[in-house]
Amino acid sequence: EVQLVQSGAEGKKSGESLKISCKASGYTFTTYWIAWVRQMPGKGLEWMGSIYPGDSDTRSSPSFQGQVTISADKSISTAYVQWTSLKGSDTAMYYCARSSDSSGHEVDQWGQGTLVTVSS
Amino acid sequence: QSALTQPASVSGSPGQSITISCTGTSSDVGIYNLVSWYQQHPGKAPKLLIYEVNKRPSGVSNRFSGSKSGNTASLTISGLQAEDEADYHCCSYATTNTLLFGGGTKLTVL
C-alpha cells in the first residue's frame, strides 16, 4: 500500500526557518515524482513544485521559485520542503503528493498534510 | 501562469446530476489530456477521482465522470448523494512543465 506520512503541525514566528517532511513507503521512491501543494485557509490548491528523487531533478512554480527549496533523501525515502525566512503569508496546509507515473504529469496519492502557522 | 477557472460553488438535490467546469488555455487543458479531478472533504486530504480527463481509479464510483472540450474540462456527478458534498479541484499539466490547479468548487447537496 502506498503511504505518504508527513511531519506534524508547526507553529513558527516570522523570520524563522522551517523544514517539513514527507516519508514515502509501499513503492519505489526513486521512480515517481513527489509534488508539494499549498492550501491557504479557505482557498484552493496551489502547486509549489515537484522533485524526482531518482536524480533530484526539480520543477518549480514561478510563484514559489526562490521562496522555498524542495529536496529529497532517497536513502530514507523522504522528501522535504524548506523555508529560510517564514512570513505570515506562509500560513497554510502543505500537502505532498506522489505522481501517478514517472512523468510527473498527474498526482494520485496524497499525504495527510502538515499545517504551518506563522505568527508575528 | 494563471490558475484554472472553476465556479466557486454549485448545488444540486439528491439524485440529480451536476457538472463542474474547469477552464484553462491552449497551453494546458487545451493541449494535454492530462486533467485530473480531486474531491476534498473538510479537514481531509484531497482524493483522486478522475485522471487523464476521463479515467477513474479503482474504487471510485462510476457516478463520477470526466470530459473535455477545447480548453474546458468538466466533472459530472450523477445520482447526487449527501456524501458527495465536498470541495472539488481540477488540475492540468501545462507546457511549461508545471501543474496548474483550479480555485476549487464547493458542492452543496440540498
Side-chain angles (χ1 to χ4, degrees):
Chain A
E1 179 196 5
V2 173
Q3 281 198 308
L4 299 172
V5 178
Q6 298 185 230
S7 49
E10 300 276 0
K12 302 294 255 184
K13 292 191 181 301
S14 293
E16 291 186 332
S17 62
L18 175 65
K19 190 174 189 178
I20 63 174
S21 66
C22 169
K23 182 166 177 60
S25 62
Y27 71 98
T28 303
F29 182 64
T30 52
T31 58
Y32 291 82
W33 290 78
I34 292 283
W36 284 96
V37 177
R38 182 176 78 175
Q39 188 169 37
M40 298 177 78
K43 303 297 184 182
L45 305 173
E46 300 172 271
W47 178 74
M48 301 168 66
S50 298
I51 187 165
Y52 189 75
D55 59 7
S56 292
D57 187 19
T58 56
R59 299 168 179 167
S60 297
S61 164
S63 300
F64 290 90
Q65 198 141 26
Q67 308 304 307
V68 297
T69 300
I70 293 172
S71 61
D73 184 340
K74 56 188 179 184
S75 70
I76 55 171
S77 300
T78 301
Y80 305 92
V81 61
Q82 66 181 83
W83 296 258
T84 55
S85 181
L86 287 162
K87 302 184 282 285
S89 57
D90 293 318
T91 293
M93 181 70 82
Y94 292 87
Y95 293 100
C96 64
R98 192 199 73 162
S99 66
S100 54
D101 60 25
S102 61
S103 71
H105 295 160
E106 293 179 307
V107 295
D108 57 1
Q109 305 291 329
W110 293 71
Q112 84 278 18
T114 295
L115 180 63
V116 174
T117 304
V118 182
S119 60
S120 56
Chain B
Q1 283 170 316
S2 299
L4 306 176
T5 301
Q6 297 181 233
S9 63
V10 297
S11 63
S13 299
Q16 287 187 330
S17 294
I18 62 96
T19 296
I20 299 171
S21 62
C22 170
T23 301
T25 69
S26 56
S27 295
D28 37 72
V29 175
I31 198 171
Y32 296 108
N33 288 326
L34 292 168
V35 177
S36 49
W37 289 91
Y38 304 89
Q39 177 191 60
Q40 186 180 30
H41 286 107
K44 300 293 188 182
K47 171 193 170 187
L48 179 66
L49 289 179
I50 298 288
Y51 67 101
E52 293 178 6
V53 175
N54 56 15
K55 298 178 182 176
R56 274 188 313 275
S58 169
V60 172
S61 170
N62 60 10
R63 296 187 301 106
F64 296 92
S65 62
S67 62
K68 189 184 87 166
S69 177
N71 294 340
T72 298
S74 299
L75 172 71
T76 298
I77 309 174
S78 58
L80 266 182
Q81 299 178 359
E83 68 209 47
D84 298 332
E85 187 160 294
D87 293 328
Y88 292 84
H89 307 272
C90 64
C91 180
S92 176
Y93 180 71
T95 54
T96 47
N97 237 355
T98 57
L99 296 179
L100 287 176
F101 282 96
T105 298
K106 180 177 180 59
L107 169 62
T108 300
V109 180
L110 302 170

